[in-house]
Amino acid sequence: MSDLGEVLAYLRQHIGHQMLDARGRPPGGLQLPVVERYRPPARTNHFERQAQSLRGAHPQ
């Protein structure tokens, strides 16, 4: 994965798969609500810094 967009897409896909897996786990008919929300630039910058750190630690 060479750019931030690819990394974020991979992370979203991975989390989506985890959420689909978790959907069948709550007992007693409970449901897991999912709410998308706005991420302020400060939070987005955190993800960008983390992605850069991971790319530096694991170049492929």
Side-chain angles (χ1 to χ4, degrees):
M1 287 178 246
S2 60
D3 80 7
L4 180 60
E6 290 178 21
V7 172
L8 293 176
Y10 171 80
L11 291 174
R12 282 191 296 271
Q13 182 181 33
H14 180 70
I15 290 169
H17 288 159
Q18 288 179 324
M19 291 173 73
L20 288 173
D21 183 48
R23 180 175 56 184
R25 294 179 188 231
L30 296 175
Q31 294 184 355
L32 176 66
V34 178
V35 178
E36 177 62 23
R37 67 179 197 91
Y38 169 76
R39 290 178 186 89
R43 188 69 177 155
T44 302
N45 291 338
H46 166 77
F47 289 125
E48 290 174 10
R49 287 190 308 273
Q50 183 66 20
Q52 288 174 351
S53 173
L54 291 171
R55 279 195 300 271
H58 305 281
Q60 294 177 341

